[in-house]
Amino acid sequence: MLDSNQNDCSRVFCVSTNLNTNPAQPQIWRNYNYPPGQRSRYPGTFRINTLTAVRSTTAAPTFFTPVKWEGGLYCDGAIVANNPTAIALQEAKVLYPGVPLEFVISIGTGYNTKASNAQTMGWDFLVNQIVSSATDAEDVHALLSDFLPPDKYFRFNPMLPTALAIDEKNKNILTDLKQLAKSSFAAMESGPDARRLADLLSALRSNKR
């Protein structure tokens, strides 16, 4: 991945779950090295083929097989960091020590919450609750929104009318999702967050290369 810096590529990383630790922990695949004296709290490397990194970070359990790399086994990073924004902040702090934060943009895939009418706790229910808790992305969002100034932190993640499968491919449903995204931005442009959105767009345009 480090080779991408030869083309003045932006600093990027992706997250996998290292299944060879107990408990499982994040593994960072990155295209950069750290400045002298700086060290990340997360294990990782830039000495990996880009294809292998992409395969491992998207290896969702039950859909794709985990990836073997240098004696380790890696799968989708969502198991330990479904919302990797906090990891991104840690990496930015190590990569650019002393540089003030300009802004953070977090983009979700939509969320859905529903009440449970469970009266007993079977194994299926327990496993589903554990998986849902482990992959929840909103707790990280709530934490960051409490600690970061509103003009520095932006989260785009509209509420879905119903829960969707990760492998959803119905064209009508996918079309509805696109419309939902457009409607969400339209609502922001005319709602209380209109000014924040305008400031963000202005900042992004001024930083275009």
Side-chain angles (χ1 to χ4, degrees):
M1 291 185 69
L2 189 65
D3 292 343
S4 64
N5 281 333
Q6 298 175 2
N7 300 316
D8 194 28
C9 180
S10 298
R11 303 297 184 261
V12 298
F13 72 88
C14 55
V15 185
S16 288
T17 299
N18 185 348
L19 299 176
N20 292 93
T21 61
N22 189 8
Q25 64 179 2
Q27 173 81 2
I28 306 299
W29 314 116
R30 60 184 193 270
N31 74 338
Y32 53 85
N33 202 356
Y34 304 112
Q38 297 296 317
R39 185 175 181 180
S40 174
R41 69 169 58 188
Y42 302 103
T45 183
F46 53 75
R47 300 184 185 279
I48 185 173
N49 182 280
T50 302
L51 176 61
T52 304
V54 172
R55 256 291 282 125
S56 62
T57 194
T58 57
T62 74
F63 291 96
F64 302 103
T65 57
V67 174
K68 293 181 179 180
W69 183 79
E70 293 195 353
L73 194 63
Y74 302 89
C75 71
D76 187 1
I79 294 177
V80 290
N82 202 21
N83 183 345
T85 312
I87 294 179
L89 291 177
Q90 290 285 344
E91 287 295 288
K93 181 180 179 180
V94 176
L95 188 57
Y96 303 106
V99 177
L101 180 69
E102 189 169 0
F103 47 75
V104 178
I105 301 174
S106 175
I107 303 175
T109 57
Y111 70 99
N112 173 263
T113 58
K114 59 182 179 180
S116 173
N117 295 320
Q119 301 297 318
T120 60
M121 188 179 69
W123 280 110
D124 288 345
F125 173 79
L126 181 59
V127 170
N128 285 335
Q129 288 292 81
I130 292 174
V131 172
S132 296
S133 298
T135 58
D136 179 72
E138 293 306 295
D139 279 350
V140 172
H141 161 58
L143 178 66
L144 295 181
S145 63
D146 285 343
F147 283 91
L148 296 178
D151 61 336
K152 301 291 185 182
Y153 175 66
F154 301 84
R155 169 75 167 166
F156 302 102
N157 193 39
M159 178 176 286
L160 304 176
T162 183
L164 299 177
I166 191 175
D167 60 342
E168 181 61 65
K169 53 185 177 293
N170 183 290
K171 291 184 178 181
N172 293 331
I173 294 179
L174 296 180
T175 298
D176 290 342
L177 285 176
K178 292 179 182 179
Q179 185 57 47
L180 176 62
K182 294 178 180 179
S183 299
S184 297
F185 275 101
M188 289 185 65
E189 290 175 343
S190 59
D193 284 332
R195 184 60 188 176
R196 291 181 66 239
L197 182 61
D199 290 344
L200 172 62
L201 294 176
S202 176
L204 291 175
R205 293 189 180 106
S206 66
N207 280 278
K208 286 182 66 177
R209 287 201 248 182

